[in-house]
Short mmCIF file of all heavy atoms in Angstrom, two decimals:
data_model
loop_
_atom_site.label_atom_id
_atom_site.label_comp_id
_atom_site.label_asym_id
_atom_site.label_seq_id
_atom_site.Cartn_x
_atom_site.Cartn_y
_atom_site.Cartn_z
N ILE A 1 -4.71 -1.37 -0.35
CA ILE A 1 -5.15 -2.73 -0.20
C ILE A 1 -5.18 -3.13 1.33
O ILE A 1 -4.14 -3.40 1.88
CB ILE A 1 -4.21 -3.75 -0.92
CG1 ILE A 1 -4.08 -3.36 -2.39
CG2 ILE A 1 -4.71 -5.22 -0.78
CD1 ILE A 1 -3.08 -4.15 -3.15
N PRO A 2 -6.38 -3.11 1.94
CA PRO A 2 -6.49 -3.55 3.30
C PRO A 2 -6.15 -5.02 3.38
O PRO A 2 -6.52 -5.79 2.48
CB PRO A 2 -7.97 -3.29 3.63
CG PRO A 2 -8.44 -2.37 2.61
CD PRO A 2 -7.68 -2.66 1.39
N GLY A 3 -5.57 -5.45 4.47
CA GLY A 3 -5.24 -6.89 4.56
C GLY A 3 -4.32 -7.15 5.77
O GLY A 3 -4.21 -6.32 6.67
N PHE A 4 -3.76 -8.35 5.74
CA PHE A 4 -2.98 -8.82 6.86
C PHE A 4 -1.49 -9.01 6.44
O PHE A 4 -1.10 -8.47 5.43
CB PHE A 4 -3.59 -10.03 7.47
CG PHE A 4 -4.97 -9.77 8.09
CD1 PHE A 4 -6.12 -9.86 7.32
CD2 PHE A 4 -5.08 -9.36 9.42
CE1 PHE A 4 -7.36 -9.56 7.81
CE2 PHE A 4 -6.35 -9.04 9.91
CZ PHE A 4 -7.47 -9.17 9.12
N ALA A 5 -0.77 -9.85 7.15
CA ALA A 5 0.64 -10.02 6.91
C ALA A 5 0.97 -10.52 5.53
O ALA A 5 2.01 -10.11 4.94
CB ALA A 5 1.26 -10.97 7.93
N ASP A 6 0.09 -11.31 4.93
CA ASP A 6 0.45 -11.85 3.56
C ASP A 6 0.43 -10.72 2.52
O ASP A 6 1.24 -10.73 1.58
CB ASP A 6 -0.57 -12.92 3.20
CG ASP A 6 -2.03 -12.45 3.16
OD1 ASP A 6 -2.33 -11.52 3.86
OD2 ASP A 6 -2.86 -13.11 2.46
N VAL A 7 -0.39 -9.73 2.74
CA VAL A 7 -0.47 -8.52 1.83
C VAL A 7 0.84 -7.75 1.98
O VAL A 7 1.51 -7.37 1.04
CB VAL A 7 -1.68 -7.68 2.05
CG1 VAL A 7 -1.60 -6.38 1.30
CG2 VAL A 7 -2.95 -8.40 1.66
N GLY A 8 1.21 -7.50 3.28
CA GLY A 8 2.44 -6.75 3.55
C GLY A 8 3.65 -7.43 3.02
O GLY A 8 4.54 -6.80 2.41
N GLN A 9 3.70 -8.73 3.17
CA GLN A 9 4.85 -9.52 2.65
C GLN A 9 4.95 -9.45 1.14
O GLN A 9 6.05 -9.25 0.53
CB GLN A 9 4.81 -10.93 3.08
CG GLN A 9 6.03 -11.75 2.66
CD GLN A 9 6.05 -13.23 3.21
OE1 GLN A 9 4.97 -13.67 3.62
NE2 GLN A 9 7.15 -13.84 3.14
N ALA A 10 3.79 -9.57 0.46
CA ALA A 10 3.75 -9.48 -0.97
C ALA A 10 4.21 -8.14 -1.47
O ALA A 10 4.94 -8.06 -2.51
CB ALA A 10 2.33 -9.83 -1.49
N MET A 11 3.88 -7.09 -0.77
CA MET A 11 4.27 -5.72 -1.13
C MET A 11 5.78 -5.52 -0.95
O MET A 11 6.50 -5.08 -1.85
CB MET A 11 3.54 -4.70 -0.34
CG MET A 11 2.04 -4.53 -0.70
SD MET A 11 1.11 -3.55 0.51
CE MET A 11 2.11 -2.07 0.69
N THR A 12 6.28 -5.88 0.24
CA THR A 12 7.66 -5.53 0.57
C THR A 12 8.70 -6.40 -0.09
O THR A 12 9.82 -6.02 -0.15
CB THR A 12 7.89 -5.59 2.12
OG1 THR A 12 7.50 -6.92 2.59
CG2 THR A 12 6.99 -4.60 2.82
N THR A 13 8.31 -7.61 -0.55
CA THR A 13 9.22 -8.48 -1.24
C THR A 13 9.08 -8.43 -2.77
O THR A 13 9.85 -9.09 -3.46
CB THR A 13 9.00 -9.97 -0.77
OG1 THR A 13 7.66 -10.37 -1.08
CG2 THR A 13 9.25 -10.09 0.70
N HIS A 14 8.14 -7.70 -3.29
CA HIS A 14 7.92 -7.70 -4.68
C HIS A 14 9.15 -7.10 -5.44
O HIS A 14 9.62 -6.02 -5.05
CB HIS A 14 6.66 -6.84 -5.09
CG HIS A 14 6.18 -7.16 -6.42
ND1 HIS A 14 6.81 -6.79 -7.59
CD2 HIS A 14 5.04 -7.79 -6.85
CE1 HIS A 14 6.13 -7.12 -8.63
NE2 HIS A 14 5.01 -7.81 -8.17
N PRO A 15 9.64 -7.79 -6.46
CA PRO A 15 10.87 -7.31 -7.13
C PRO A 15 10.77 -5.97 -7.82
O PRO A 15 11.70 -5.26 -8.09
CB PRO A 15 11.18 -8.44 -8.13
CG PRO A 15 9.87 -9.12 -8.34
CD PRO A 15 9.19 -9.04 -7.01
N ASP A 16 9.52 -5.58 -8.15
CA ASP A 16 9.27 -4.31 -8.84
C ASP A 16 9.02 -3.12 -7.94
O ASP A 16 8.90 -1.99 -8.37
CB ASP A 16 8.13 -4.43 -9.83
CG ASP A 16 8.42 -5.35 -11.02
OD1 ASP A 16 9.63 -5.38 -11.40
OD2 ASP A 16 7.55 -6.09 -11.47
N VAL A 17 8.99 -3.40 -6.62
CA VAL A 17 8.91 -2.32 -5.61
C VAL A 17 10.30 -1.86 -5.33
O VAL A 17 11.20 -2.65 -5.02
CB VAL A 17 8.19 -2.81 -4.33
CG1 VAL A 17 8.34 -1.80 -3.21
CG2 VAL A 17 6.71 -3.04 -4.63
N ARG A 18 10.48 -0.54 -5.34
CA ARG A 18 11.88 0.03 -5.09
C ARG A 18 12.03 0.59 -3.71
O ARG A 18 13.14 0.58 -3.17
CB ARG A 18 12.13 1.11 -6.14
CG ARG A 18 13.50 1.76 -6.04
CD ARG A 18 14.58 0.73 -6.17
NE ARG A 18 15.95 1.41 -6.08
CZ ARG A 18 17.08 0.80 -5.86
NH1 ARG A 18 17.07 -0.55 -5.79
NH2 ARG A 18 18.15 1.39 -5.82
N VAL A 19 10.93 1.11 -3.09
CA VAL A 19 11.03 1.74 -1.81
C VAL A 19 10.01 1.09 -0.90
O VAL A 19 8.86 0.91 -1.24
CB VAL A 19 10.77 3.24 -1.87
CG1 VAL A 19 10.91 3.88 -0.50
CG2 VAL A 19 11.66 3.93 -2.88
N VAL A 20 10.39 0.76 0.37
CA VAL A 20 9.52 0.32 1.42
C VAL A 20 9.51 1.32 2.52
O VAL A 20 10.57 1.59 3.10
CB VAL A 20 9.92 -1.11 1.94
CG1 VAL A 20 9.02 -1.49 3.14
CG2 VAL A 20 9.80 -2.18 0.82
N SER A 21 8.36 1.87 2.81
CA SER A 21 8.19 2.81 3.94
C SER A 21 7.26 2.22 4.93
O SER A 21 6.06 2.00 4.65
CB SER A 21 7.67 4.17 3.43
OG SER A 21 7.58 5.07 4.47
N PHE A 22 7.75 1.91 6.12
CA PHE A 22 6.99 1.16 7.14
C PHE A 22 7.00 1.86 8.41
O PHE A 22 8.09 2.31 8.93
CB PHE A 22 7.55 -0.26 7.24
CG PHE A 22 7.01 -1.04 8.49
CD1 PHE A 22 5.73 -1.59 8.43
CD2 PHE A 22 7.76 -1.18 9.64
CE1 PHE A 22 5.21 -2.30 9.44
CE2 PHE A 22 7.23 -1.89 10.72
CZ PHE A 22 5.96 -2.45 10.62
N THR A 23 5.84 1.99 9.07
CA THR A 23 5.76 2.40 10.44
C THR A 23 5.03 1.33 11.25
O THR A 23 3.92 0.99 10.91
CB THR A 23 4.94 3.77 10.57
OG1 THR A 23 5.61 4.76 9.78
CG2 THR A 23 4.86 4.23 12.02
N GLY A 24 5.65 0.88 12.34
CA GLY A 24 5.07 -0.23 13.14
C GLY A 24 6.04 -0.69 14.21
O GLY A 24 6.91 0.04 14.61
#
């Protein structure tokens, strides 16, 4: 999903996501 900060926030805070892998 290309996008901006709102997409990243929705991904990293979603309760059904178990792992966050971020480079930045």
Side-chain angles (χ1 to χ4, degrees):
I1 305 174
F4 296 89
D6 59 336
V7 171
Q9 183 177 17
M11 288 168 52
T12 58
T13 60
H14 198 291
D16 292 325
V17 167
R18 181 59 179 165
V19 183
V20 174
S21 181
F22 170 76
T23 300

